[in-house]
Amino acid sequence: MSNNDKRTSETIIFNLKEKPLSPNDKQGFLTVVGGGGADLGKSAPVGQSIEIGRSKNCGLALVDLHVSSRHARLWLSEQGSYLLEDLGSSNGTRINHKEVKSRVELVDGDKIFVGKSVIRFAMADAVDLKFHDELAQKVHSDPLTGLDSKHCFDDALEVAVSNAQRTASVLSLLMMDMDGLKAINDTHGHQFGAYAIAETGRIIGQTLGDYGRACRYGGDEFTAKLPGLDKSAAMKIGEEIRQRIDQANLEFERIPLHPTISIGVASYPEDGATIEELINAADQALYRAKRAGKNRVCA
């Protein structure tokens, strides 16, 4: 299983040129400014070339269900201008409401319409790129754990369930609650509790790798979605998360901390046909794990 806690393209991918920009250099930059949902605020520099679409391999990957897997492409021409073309998408591509039928040259401020999303093209310098990077991290990430923000996760979960329904595929959900955090807070203070939460989130993200996405659901609770994985596979990943947290040997200011985690697992369509039913089923499994003695995984 991959331990790479990278940000996949469900949130933000920055594909910077190999050569760093000098303060006066500018390059093309994309920002999702309309359409709402988890895509709003996503940004990416164009670099030499970038594709827009729902595929995770796209430089600007969207969860908008009305966007094709590989929807459109932008690239820097030899003459130094930025060009855009549609890649045979289902719903077409428009620039400033005009349909793109062939290669079109972009100018600063153009609005690109794909699916229900509106993407602004702009020329950005190094300062702009740094600002957008920091802003995007605040919007799309939980500041304590680095996991997805809850609103981004909720939107992505809705899309994942819709995809599972449309393709008759499976999807699993983990509901997780830390054990022993109150004792850590009461004994050592909330700084120690915050450290334990942050490290727990980091371990969850690393363990999931490319198998799924997670967020801090609230306080010391976490949730994760695992598209394409049935209950048996989800139970194995849940158990690996549990073991890694149990064996983490956390230490803050030379004081050892030993939080554990209880995990409930539910799967589509076996345990529920809607998001609400899945969450409820995973919650019930989590309560069983708590009642059975904590630090365990139940389905």
Side-chain angles (χ1 to χ4, degrees), residues 154-172:
D154 288 344
D155 288 337
L157 178 60
E158 183 178 350
V159 172
V161 172
S162 296
N163 285 339
Q165 293 169 340
R166 188 179 71 254
T167 60
S169 57
V170 295
L171 175 146
S172 291

Side-chain angles (χ1 to χ4, degrees), residues 4 8 24 64 114 119 143 145 181 216 222 236 238 245 247-248 251 256 271 277 279 283-284 286 288 297:
N4 182 16
T8 68
N24 295 323
D64 183 348
V114 294
I119 303 166
T145 63
L181 186 69
R216 184 158 69 106
F222 299 85
K236 291 179 181 178
I245 293 171
Q247 300 167 7
E251 185 177 289
D271 299 314
E277 290 174 354
I279 291 175
D283 267 335
Q284 291 180 16
L286 173 59
R288 285 195 291 276
V297 182

Side-chain angles (χ1 to χ4, degrees), residues 125-237:
D125 58 22
V127 175
D128 294 326
L129 294 175
K130 185 174 184 296
F131 166 76
H132 281 287
D133 189 8
E134 293 175 352
L135 180 62
Q137 290 297 329
K138 290 181 179 179
V139 171
H140 294 278
S141 300
D142 172 60
L144 184 59
T145 63
L147 298 174
D148 291 349
S149 65
K150 187 175 182 301
H151 84 273
C152 284
F153 180 88
D154 288 344
D155 288 337
L157 178 60
E158 183 178 350
V159 172
V161 172
S162 296
N163 285 339
Q165 293 169 340
R166 188 179 71 254
T167 60
S169 57
V170 295
L171 175 146
S172 291
L173 187 71
L174 307 182
M175 294 297 290
M176 299 169 275
D177 188 23
M178 292 175 64
D179 311 314
L181 186 69
K182 185 178 186 302
I184 292 173
N185 286 333
D186 292 346
T187 304
H188 305 294
H190 284 82
Q191 272 190 317
F192 289 78
Y195 171 80
I197 292 172
E199 287 299 294
T200 296
R202 180 185 62 81
I203 293 169
I204 290 171
Q206 285 183 337
T207 307
L208 287 176
D210 293 332
Y211 287 99
R213 303 292 297 176
C215 80
R216 184 158 69 106
Y217 202 68
D220 59 346
E221 298 176 336
F222 299 85
T223 186
K225 64 180 179 68
L226 302 168
L229 297 189
D230 61 16
K231 186 175 293 183
S232 176
M235 290 285 288
K236 291 179 181 178
I237 291 177

Side-chain angles (χ1 to χ4, degrees), residues 269-281:
E270 180 180 350
D271 299 314
T274 66
I275 292 175
E276 293 76 15
E277 290 174 354
L278 276 177
I279 291 175
N280 183 59

